[in-house]
Amino acid sequence: MSAARLRLFGHRVTIPAMIGFVIIAVNLIAALGAPWLSPFDQADVVCEAWDDPTAEHLLGCDNLGRDLLSRLLFGARMSIGLSLLITTLSFSIGIVTGFTAAIAKGWVDAALSRAVDLMLSMPSLIFAFVVLSVLGTEIPVLVITLACLDSTRVFRLSRALAMNIVALEYVEVAKLRGEGLWWIITREVLPAARAPLIAEFGLRFSFAFLFVAALSFLGLGIQPPNADWGSMVRDYRDMINLGITAPFWPAGAIAVLTIGVNFVVDWLLAIQSRGHGENA
Amino acid sequence: MGKLIAQRLALGFLTLFGASVLIFAGTELLPGDLASALLQNNATEENLAVMRKQLGLDRPAPVRYVEWFGGALKGDLGKSLATERPVAADLAPRLRNTIFLAIYAAVVAVPLAIALGLLAAVFQGSVFDRAVNTVTLMTISIPEYLVGYLLMKYISVQLGWLPTLANVTEETPLGERFYLSLLPMLTLVLVTIAHMMRMTRASVLAIMASPYIEMAFLKGIPKWIVVVRHAFPNALAPVISVVALNLAYLIVGVVVVESVFVYPGLGQLMVDAVSKHDVPVVQACGLLFASAFIVLNMLADIAAILANPRLRHPR
Amino acid sequence: MSGSERVLSVEHLRVEARNDGGTTAVLVDDVSFTLDRGEVIGLIGESGAGKTTIGLACLGYTRNGCAIAGGSIVFRGRDILALSASERRALRGPGVAYIAQSAAASFNPAMTLFEQVCEIPVRHGIMSAEEARKVAIGLFRELDLPNPETFGNRYPHQVSGGQLQRAMAAMAMAARPDILVFDEPTTALDVTTQVEVLAAFRKLIKEHRTAAIYITHDLAVVAQIADSIMVLRHGKMVEHGEADQILQAPREEYTRRLVAERVSGHDFIDREGGDPPLLAIRDVVASYASLLRVIDGVSLEVRRGDTVAVVGESGSGKSTLARVITGLLPREEGDISFQGESLPPTLAQRTRDQKRRIQMIYQMPDVALNPHQTLLDIIGRPIDFYFGRSRADIRKRVLELLRMMDLPESFIDRKPGELSGGQKQRVGIARALAAEPDLIICDEVTSALDQLVGEEILRLLKRLQDELGIAYLFITHDLGVVKRIANKVTVMLKGKMVAGGETQTVFAPPFHPYTELLLSSVPEMRSDWLDEVLEKRRISS
């Protein structure tokens, strides 16, 4: 029962949330420690193609005779690192524009909101295709395109949050007192928006992560020789017919990390809707 | 109400127009034009000039946009850079295949998701509800290709019940089409159903928590009548939006699923075109996907307006 | 028809709520009463007294997470708690019917009124749809609803709040239940509407000799309708007796305080002085998005030490007036001057000192205080902002203000979430005082609070005025408050001023007709008030 009593942010951590935290921690360790943890380099050919798992190659080998476990660990680095970068960037853009729109109101808000509406009128995968078809699939292009696309959703949320908070009377009090815009944003608006934004970060991360993986899977994301989970699935997929399980390792890893993040987000959203402190 | 619907329709068409501008601008206004992208390392000044002329890039962008969009409205989508055949000719059979698959999946997924969502809401807090909640949370997180490959491995490879690849052609008879595309359909159903179900459940629960539902119970009305007569008409609008939203998601999910099962649809075509920088094809596919998405969202909003009693019976 | 026919007897009722942590809270503890045919019992108490829980328990219903943990509820000789779920269901509607506080929320927006009013008799198989419709029309007529024949064809959003509340009574009465449970049925209505609805309810109960449980927080309302009154507090019975006994000779201290609040008078001090008015508003006009004039030609004056009340019903523009004075909503015409000096229309144009001199206290202390800041931050910020004192000085001053508010000094490092509603409102006052203002605008400061807590806040404001000489502009819908604390009053109706001046003058004949209507609509704590009002209105019309 000690697990049930563990608390975070003053709330009890549920079992799915615990599982989620563990999954995230394991993945982060893998991503950060890939060069030290992995037995071989991601690009080294160390065995025959599709060798079965042995004590030396715990997960066996891939189509070119590279160690699967090592590639999986390095893949974590690429997939997770890139998604984090995209999410951070999209958050910075989205929050700044969203808060500005909510507080400035008027034509600034109208212009930004209509632009975002237009961007959101199309599935982002389709929009990404259009851009990538012209700009190619180098990593910086990928990161900036996806961050811009994703920031539209962050914009929507942070604008709505800020609008709600600005309408609260304690913000009115600050305005009446004559406080400046910066003070109002940092002292009155941000603290109240923090919790929903953290949950949103988790959601956006898992979205970006799946998105990058899907692009790589379609051959339009991260290009060889860099290992990443999406393109690993693509490289190994023909082996399904032969009963080789290799593609399921990276695909499974993608699913597990997303599930973990979603478990934590679900918990965060649940404690928010339950309000502060008591009987949580 | 008529005015609201007219407004929504107008907005829909305006959005469609805006999306077409965006698709066009996305390929035109970015640094390094199409010609340099196509020629890549072979790009000399002369080559570029010739290529630009060939592609019509020497004329101003607005003119080219009007030509392109005007042509698209008439069904002329330009010529493919790779095959030099008219895009529309390559597109048509692909489009038919994709629409077939999407409708096939929707017909199965929508009723199933709504039914499961309603059940979970009615039995809120039960073991069934909690199990469904956790399972769907997990399915949402699983990428389409993993679901696809798992189905392929177990149903096709191990059990041998269904073909691994869905290579339908123009000549494939309808019955065989259903059989061949059963696995892609199942994959799509599995990945869309979870979201649709969770959102249905949430909208019905929001309605069930309202005071007029408690009032109905206090009037001694049996639970099933409360659900059917009192809750359902009010839950209709949110459920319709949920369905439309997820159908829009299904359109995108199609891209990946087609790739998994090598299904000759629009998504496959678009992915190929992107990697070949075949811009006219990408634009055409993008326009079609975007239109479907926008029209679905528009229909959902109109349905929601129609389902709202306050708008249906004005003061 | 015998004289007394027992329809309900509740004995030692106990209702518990189980929350997530597994701990239980007792909502209702050891409550007993009986109800005969035609008898009306009033359940009275502040929020959290368990009134609604008792009312719902009489229908054999508890809200999510709650359970009846003990006692018995015997309805016509059968213990409701021993019944099966379907037997209980059969009882709801035809046996005991419920009338909720908010009719707007309790009617299904997707069904016509006929469908909903006829539902009880039809679904319980008591009448055919045709018969039920006739009964409904009859009830609509009894309740003075317009066009009774066709009224039921409308949807809930197509009729007014007062009509909807009466339609809910018709819905409850449709199957001629033995008991009606009224749960604060007039609380959401304006006072002038409340009178009509209350009269309609009383007529209905009298004519059908229905027993009723009338739940409210307002003793004066229950006095008009109940034969006996039970006072509840924290789920326990405080006192139960004949209505007149409770009103005139309460036995318990708590009841005495509840009764006393309404009668305590206030002597007006003549504060007229020669100095220029603190705040002078002349012919001010303001509107939202230039569409409709929300404030249309309002003038009033506030002098040092004055308490000026602005009264009106919902939609009268009284809260908008506060926004215009503070500059949140710029005025379009007219002038507002402070100590003889014209104030710029918008907040941005005003100087820091002009902003400091006018402070506000709000209706909802929950949203008026930032839940993420400590009281030191909340109260200390104006001191820092306007006077730029050192940290130590600020802390000292905040402590001083807390003492002035009768709040413990240890609260200084707490956040608003740990405080009760009344305490939060005191923090709001302290924050306003920290700016050392000349005028405080109080926007419905007591209406979100329980009666006795609100009373303490008023007393505190009064004391502060005596000590510091601050002027108040009191925005309220509660005429009782106005009469007791304001020396001047402005009555507003649909954005226009209908009367203004010294309270004694405005609230004494000759009245403006609307002022008279408002005044006469405030329930008084004697059981013959409603009869008198209805009598008077019949004569005058």
Side-chain angles (χ1 to χ4, degrees), chain C residues 423-438:
Chain C
Q423 289 169 335
K424 281 182 216 166
Q425 198 56 294
R426 282 161 196 262
V427 175
I429 299 172
R431 175 176 60 192
L433 284 181
E436 299 179 19
D438 298 310

Side-chain angles (χ1 to χ4, degrees), chain C residues 475-487:
Chain C
I475 290 163
T476 181
H477 70 280
D478 188 342
L479 283 126
V481 170
V482 177
K483 279 189 195 164
R484 280 179 296 122
I485 67 153
N487 61 322

